[in-house]
Amino acid sequence: MKSQNFFANQSFRALFWPLMALIIILLFNIFFTKGFINVEIRDGHLFGSMIDILNRAAPVLILAIGMTLVIGTGGIDLSVGAVIAISGAVAALMIRPEYLKGVLEYSQAPPLYMIVGTALFVSLIAGLWNGFVVSYLDIQPMVGTLILMVAGRGIAQLITQGQILIFVNKDFQFIGSGFFLGLPFSLTIVAFLLIVTYLLTRKTAIGLYIESVGDNPTASRYAGINARMVKLLVYTFSGLCAGIAGLIITSDIKGADANNAGLNMELDAILSVVMGGTSMNGGRIYLLGSVIGALFIQTLTTTILTRGVNPELTLVVKAVVVIIVCLLQSDKFREIATVKARRVAA
């Protein structure tokens, strides 16, 4: 009886299929990718394929955390990739402002807190803009955030003047390539952000407000919830998450590439959230599901690359696998498949 109740639990059902997909792809790599589970310790730091997957997944994980709250309100944020580019461009310009004038010598860089703070402040403004457009101007979230998705990358290019702004700054590089307690520092950022977001959404009324607004904005308003403010805050938070992801990516590659930084990452973030069980219609959020979805996306990407799939087919293979997982998540599809299987067996 307890077992039946466990399987009937909505949260468990939402997490079951993405978790199974992640386990299957991990098992595939364990059996068919040599040395996949090997973890080495060098200079007190952990290295290996699984550590690399976690490290590479960090930006998508952070984006997915913010995107989960946005989708929970029934919205969507297409601009996170562009905000990544803006955040990285601002940080790189502060580290090496004279580079764009052709001066190769380094001047005195501002303190790290000022570089990080400025980049995150700009990201917050970007998220605030999205929230204002969606909640107070009543523009459809897809259209409202599409504006910044297009304009944001142009802003990043204006900041870097269309150049790839490279730099060397050990303090800043620690964000994306440093280690803490033997693990990449980016994972510490992910863990901190995930814990804070979980506590805010599950131990305070904020999570209830978000799900209420996503489920029925009109009823929420009559219940006394400021739906516009809730949407404004979640889009601002999503912008902050994108800014943090931008700092990780920029510090890791030691450069700001306005054209390619964060390119298409909004799609991976949305896919991670949806695969994790959060409905695009809003009303229910699954942070853990989004984390599992992001890990699956990164593991799948790494698997495709390590199996030597032609670059032209990479996205096609990725799309096919994701479609299969999404179909398995569909109750309707499983019902049809079960009926077909029974008919064939009969």
Side-chain angles (χ1 to χ4, degrees):
M1 189 66 179
K2 287 183 178 179
S3 175
Q4 289 179 355
N5 291 335
F6 186 66
F7 281 96
N9 183 279
Q10 188 178 359
S11 298
F12 175 80
R13 289 170 60 191
L15 299 179
F16 179 77
W17 290 108
L19 186 60
M20 284 297 103
L22 178 61
I23 291 173
I24 289 172
I25 198 167
L26 286 174
L27 288 175
F28 175 86
N29 279 289
I30 289 171
F31 286 113
F32 297 105
T33 303
K34 186 179 180 182
F36 180 76
I37 57 174
N38 293 348
V39 176
E40 299 178 8
I41 301 177
R42 301 177 199 160
D43 301 326
H45 304 153
L46 298 177
F47 290 93
S49 296
M50 298 184 74
I51 301 296
D52 187 56
I53 287 174
L54 290 172
N55 190 24
R56 296 300 167 203
V60 178
L61 282 165
I62 292 172
L63 291 181
I65 290 171
M67 190 70 75
T68 302
L69 305 193
V70 171
I71 292 180
T73 63
I76 194 168
D77 189 352
L78 297 178
S79 69
V80 290
V83 176
I84 284 176
I86 294 175
S87 171
V90 170
L93 184 65
M94 291 188 69
I95 293 171
R96 207 176 183 186
E98 301 297 325
Y99 181 79
L100 299 180
K101 299 176 184 176
V103 180
L104 300 181
E105 289 78 16
Y106 282 82
S107 56
Q108 182 65 37
L112 181 61
Y113 72 85
M114 191 175 292
I115 298 170
V116 172
T118 305
L120 294 185
F121 178 74
V122 173
S123 304
L124 275 173
I125 296 298
L128 194 64
W129 163 257
N130 283 332
F132 174 75
V133 167
V134 172
S135 60
Y136 287 92
L137 299 184
D138 287 331
I139 296 177
Q140 285 291 323
M142 185 172 290
V143 178
T145 56
L146 186 63
I147 296 170
L148 189 58
M149 178 185 178
V150 176
R153 202 161 288 281
I155 292 170
Q157 289 178 344
L158 284 173
I159 294 172
T160 61
Q161 296 182 12
Q163 301 182 45
I164 298 177
L165 210 168
I166 58 174
F167 58 84
V168 175
N169 184 301
K170 290 184 178 179
D171 292 338
F172 183 70
Q173 287 166 217
F174 183 82
I175 296 173
S177 55
F179 284 82
F180 180 69
L181 298 177
L183 292 169
F185 180 66
S186 57
L187 297 181
T188 304
I189 299 174
V190 173
F192 175 77
L193 199 59
L194 181 62
I195 292 171
V196 169
T197 308
Y198 174 80
L199 292 176
L200 286 175
T201 55
R202 291 300 172 222
K203 299 300 178 183
T204 72
I206 294 176
L208 184 62
Y209 291 167
I210 292 172
E211 293 179 339
S212 176
V213 169
D215 189 42
N216 193 325
T218 305
S220 301
R221 192 165 60 251
Y222 283 122
I225 298 174
N226 190 337
R228 294 184 189 277
M229 182 56 68
V230 171
K231 289 184 180 180
L232 184 76
L233 291 177
V234 295
Y235 279 95
T236 304
F237 181 69
S238 179
L240 175 66
C241 289
I244 296 172
L247 292 179
I248 292 175
I249 293 172
T250 304
S251 61
D252 186 34
I253 65 174
K254 306 178 190 63
D257 185 352
N259 287 318
N260 296 308
L263 189 64
N264 295 331
M265 287 190 71
E266 60 276 353
L267 302 181
D268 282 347
I270 294 168
L271 204 53
S272 301
V273 175
V274 174
M275 286 186 63
T278 300
S279 169
M280 291 294 290
N281 295 322
R284 189 70 174 164
I285 58 175
Y286 296 98
L287 274 175
L288 182 57
S290 300
V291 170
I292 295 171
L295 290 176
F296 172 78
I297 295 292
Q298 184 57 48
T299 308
L300 176 62
T301 303
T302 303
T303 303
I304 291 172
L305 294 175
T306 54
R307 301 313 298 176
V309 177
N310 289 333
E312 298 84 2
L313 296 174
T314 300
L315 294 178
V316 176
V317 174
K318 189 175 178 180
V320 169
V321 175
V322 169
I323 287 173
I324 293 172
V325 175
C326 290
L327 286 174
L328 290 173
Q329 281 184 290
S330 166
D331 293 335
K332 187 68 177 178
F333 175 80
R334 293 202 304 276
E335 182 182 337
I336 294 172
T338 303
V339 171
K340 292 281 186 186
R342 286 175 179 169
R343 287 178 181 172
V344 171

